Amino acid sequence: MPSTPRSFASRVSTQSSAARETVSGAQSHAAPTATTRRSTNFILTTASAICALIVLDTNVVAVSLPSIARTFHADFADVEWVVSAYMVAFAACLLAAGGLADRIGRKRLLLIGLAVFAAASLGCGLAPSVLWLNIARAVKGVGAGMLIPSSLAIIAHTFQDEHERARAWAFWGMCMGIATTIAPLVGGAITQFVGWRWIFLMNLPICAVLAACAFSSMSESKNPHAVAIDKPGSLTFGLALACGIWALIDAGIQGWTSTTTLTRLAGSLLLFALFVGIERRTRHAMIDLALFRDRRFVGAVLAMFGYAACAQVMMTFLPLYLQNAFGLPAVAAGLGMLPFALAMIVGPFIGAALLRRRSIDRVLLIGLVLIGAGNMLTAGVAPMGRYLWVACGMVVTGLGAGIMNGNTQKAIVARVAPSRTGMASGISTTTRFTAIVMSVGVLGGVLAARTRDAFDLAVAGKPAIAAYVDAPFVSRVLAGDAAGAVMHAPDHVHAMLSTLARSSFASGFSDAMGAAGTVALVLAACLWGIAARE
C-alpha cells in the first residue's frame, strides 16, 4: 500500500480547522523545545510504525499463499479469499472509520484498532481451517481500516506547523516505502524458516509494544462538529463489494455464465445502485457524487484505479508465478520480487522530474503507459521461463507504479476545493483498495481459466497423463502448490507432470498479465481523451 498524502489525514483529522476541535492535553504552537520535539517525534515514529505494520501485513501474505494452500489442501478460490477477505473489509471500513475517529477520538479508535488487529492476527495464526483463516482475515481488515485513518489523523493533529508537517509526511512516506520493499522478503523468510503462521503471530508482540507507546505518548483529540456516520452507505458499499468479489472468485468454478455467478453479480450491481441512491439522498453522505461531474476528477480516479488494479495487484500474483513456474522456495520468491519493489522506490524521483516539465495529467498518462507496457512485456516473456526477462517486465511496471504513487492522489485532490480535499482523498484511498480486490478476482479468474485450458491442450490425446490431471490437481497448481500436486504421482509421470504444471501455470499467468496490460493501456487512452478535451 503506497503512501497516502496529507489530504487524507486532513479528512480524518479535521472537518474544518484545528480551532474547532476539542483536545485533551493542550499543545503549544510556539517554537518547539527539545523536549517537545522529542515527544512529537516519538508520536510520529509510533503512528508511522503502525501504518508500516499495516503495509507490511498487506503485502507480506502473498509469498506465503502456496504454503497456506499446502497446509489446508486449499483450492485457488480459498487462496484468493485469503487476500480478498482482508481487502474487502479494509476498503469498506476506511471512510466510515475516518468519521468514527472524529466522533469518539483518534487515540481511542487507534487503540481499539490495535486490539482488533492483534486478536484477528491470533485467530489467523491459530486457524484450524482455511475458512477460519479467511474469517479472521476479514476481521483483521476491519482493524486495519480503523488504524490507518486514526494514525494519519494523529500525525496531522500533532504537526500543525506547515514545515514540520511536511517533514512528518516525508518521514511517514519513507516508512511506507521501506515496508513495501521488504514485505516480500520478510514474508518469504518467515514462511520458509519458521512457518507461515508466524507471519500473523509476530503481530501480537508488535501490537502490544505499539499500543503501549501510543497510550503513553499520544493525547486524545476529536471533532465536536463531526457529522453523523453514514451507516447505510457504509453497509451497502461493503455488501456490494463483497458480493461482487464472491461472484468473481467463484466464477472459475461455477462458470462465468452460470446462474450462481450471474445472480451474485446482479446482487452486487443492485447493492451498488442502492448505495448511489443512498448517497444522493443522505445529508452527510460518505461520497458527494457531484464531484464526478468534473471530467478531470473522473480521469484522476480512473488513473488511481488503473494503478492499483494493474500494478499493485502484482504483489499477489508474482509470488505464485515465481514459486510455481521456477520452483523457487518462499524466501527466493521474495528476493525475486525485489526488481519490482526497488523500481517503485526509483519511480517517484522520475515522477518528480517529469512534473517539472509536464502537467500532472501527462505524468499520470506516462505512468499508466509504463504499467501497461511492463505488464505486456511480462506477459510475453512469462512462458519462456527466463527470470531475467521477467525481471525486466517487473522493472518497467514498477517504474510506472512509482511515478503514479502519490501523484494519483495529488491529481484527485487538485480538482476539488480545499474544503472538499478530505472527501476526495477518501474516495482515492477507497478506490485503491477496491481496485486491488476487484483485480484479484478478475485476473484470478483469467489465470484459472487459461491455466486449465493449457492443461487440457497439453494432455489431449495423452490418456496416460490426463488421468492424473483432474480438477483437484489443477486446483492445487493454481493455489501455488505445484510440488504438492505432483508429489504422489508415479515416478514414470512425475517429471512430465512437474513440467506440465510449470508451463501451464506460466501460460495462465501470461494471459492474466496481458489482461492487466490491456486494461492499463485502455485506461491510458481514456486519460488522454479526457485531457485532450480540456
Side-chain angles (χ1 to χ4, degrees):
M1 187 183 67
S3 61
T4 307
R6 71 186 71 177
S7 52
F8 183 56
S10 299
R11 157 71 177 87
V12 294
S13 64
T14 60
Q15 295 286 329
S16 55
S17 66
R20 293 170 60 186
E21 296 190 28
T22 299
V23 181
S24 301
Q27 178 176 320
S28 172
H29 297 290
T33 63
T35 301
T36 302
R37 183 177 292 276
R38 283 196 296 270
S39 176
T40 56
N41 284 345
F42 188 79
I43 293 173
L44 172 62
T45 302
T46 301
S48 298
I50 290 171
C51 292
L53 175 64
I54 302 303
V55 172
L56 192 66
D57 189 81
T58 301
N59 294 321
V60 78
V61 173
V63 182
S64 70
L65 292 179
S67 294
I68 293 173
R70 283 191 290 271
T71 298
F72 296 123
H73 303 290
D75 60 25
F76 186 51
D78 292 328
V79 167
E80 285 187 283
W81 273 116
V82 174
V83 176
S84 298
Y86 178 87
M87 288 290 188
V88 168
F90 197 176
C93 290
L94 272 173
L95 286 175
L100 186 62
D102 283 342
R103 290 175 67 84
I104 72 171
R106 291 77 181 254
K107 177 181 176 179
R108 179 180 298 177
L109 187 66
L110 183 142
L111 293 174
I112 293 172
L114 280 172
V116 171
F117 191 84
S121 295
L122 179 62
C124 291
L126 301 179
S129 67
V130 71
L131 177 61
W132 180 286
L133 174 62
N134 288 335
I135 293 172
R137 285 283 288 169
V139 176
K140 199 174 184 183
V142 173
M146 296 179 186
L147 289 172
I148 290 294
S150 55
S151 297
L152 295 175
I154 288 168
I155 294 175
H157 174 73
T158 301
F159 295 90
Q160 304 275 333
D161 177 75
E162 183 176 352
H163 175 74
E164 290 296 310
R165 183 174 287 188
R167 182 184 64 84
W169 291 126
F171 177 82
W172 182 87
M174 179 188 70
C175 292
M176 300 306 100
I178 292 173
T180 301
T181 303
I182 68 172
L185 183 57
V186 170
I190 293 174
T191 299
Q192 185 168 334
F193 297 121
V194 295
W196 63 265
R197 294 182 183 274
W198 284 98
I199 286 178
F200 304 110
L201 295 176
M202 73 173 184
N203 290 331
L204 298 177
I206 296 174
C207 286
V209 171
L210 291 174
C213 293
F215 183 81
S216 63
S217 66
M218 296 175 180
S219 60
E220 186 59 280
S221 66
K222 60 179 69 173
N223 183 2
H225 302 281
V227 299
I229 298 172
D230 182 9
K231 296 177 183 177
S234 300
L235 180 62
T236 52
F237 177 78
L239 289 175
L241 186 59
C243 191
I245 298 307
W246 189 19
L248 294 173
I249 288 178
D250 281 358
I253 300 172
Q254 303 288 343
W256 286 94
T257 58
S258 68
T259 302
T260 301
T261 299
L262 294 177
T263 300
R264 291 172 184 172
L265 288 174
S268 178
L269 291 175
L270 286 173
L271 286 167
F272 271 121
L274 180 60
F275 168 71
V276 172
I278 291 172
E279 296 306 285
R280 292 180 65 181
R281 291 171 175 80
T282 301
R283 181 179 179 184
H284 302 298
M286 290 195 306
I287 297 175
D288 182 359
L289 299 176
L291 292 173
F292 290 89
R293 296 172 186 168
D294 183 342
R295 288 196 302 271
R296 293 182 69 183
F297 178 84
V298 173
V301 171
L302 287 176
M304 171 61 81
F305 187 93
Y307 157 58
C310 304
Q312 285 192 269
V313 76
M314 295 279 277
M315 300 296 287
T316 298
F317 291 112
L318 268 175
L320 291 175
Y321 169 73
L322 292 175
Q323 292 182 70
N324 255 353
F326 294 99
L328 298 178
V331 68
L335 284 170
M337 292 181 65
L338 282 179
F340 177 76
L342 293 175
M344 279 198 68
I345 295 176
V346 176
F349 296 98
I350 299 175
L354 289 172
L355 277 175
R356 290 193 288 268
R357 299 174 176 84
R358 298 286 187 273
S359 68
I360 194 166
D361 296 330
R362 298 297 181 185
V363 172
L364 293 181
L365 179 60
I366 293 170
L368 206 48
V369 168
L370 283 174
I371 289 173
N375 282 334
M376 287 298 191
L377 175 58
T378 303
V381 301
M384 297 166 54
R386 296 181 180 178
Y387 173 76
L388 183 60
W389 284 106
V390 175
C392 291
M394 291 188 213
V395 169
V396 177
T397 303
L399 288 176
I403 289 172
M404 298 189 76
N405 182 20
N407 284 327
T408 45
Q409 301 243 19
K410 292 176 186 176
I412 291 172
V413 171
R415 298 302 304 172
V416 301
S419 61
R420 315 299 294 281
T421 56
M423 180 178 290
S425 293
I427 292 171
S428 175
T429 306
T430 304
T431 299
R432 181 197 306 268
F433 291 101
T434 301
I436 292 173
V437 74
M438 289 182 67
S439 185
V440 168
V442 173
L443 296 184
V446 174
L447 171 63
R450 300 305 295 169
T451 299
R452 289 190 181 96
D453 289 345
F455 270 119
D456 291 342
L457 182 63
V459 301
K462 301 176 182 177
I465 300 178
Y468 299 98
V469 185
D470 54 10
F473 176 90
V474 176
S475 184
R476 292 189 71 176
V477 171
L478 285 168
D481 188 18
V486 303
M487 182 181 300
H488 301 295
D491 291 341
H492 69 282
V493 295
H494 190 283
M496 287 186 290
L497 286 175
S498 295
T499 301
L500 179 60
R502 293 183 181 185
S503 62
S504 296
F505 188 92
S507 177
F509 176 79
S510 172
D511 288 333
M513 291 301 98
T518 300
V519 170
L521 294 176
V522 168
L523 289 175
C526 293
L527 290 184
W528 181 84
I530 290 172
R533 294 178 64 183
E534 292 294 325

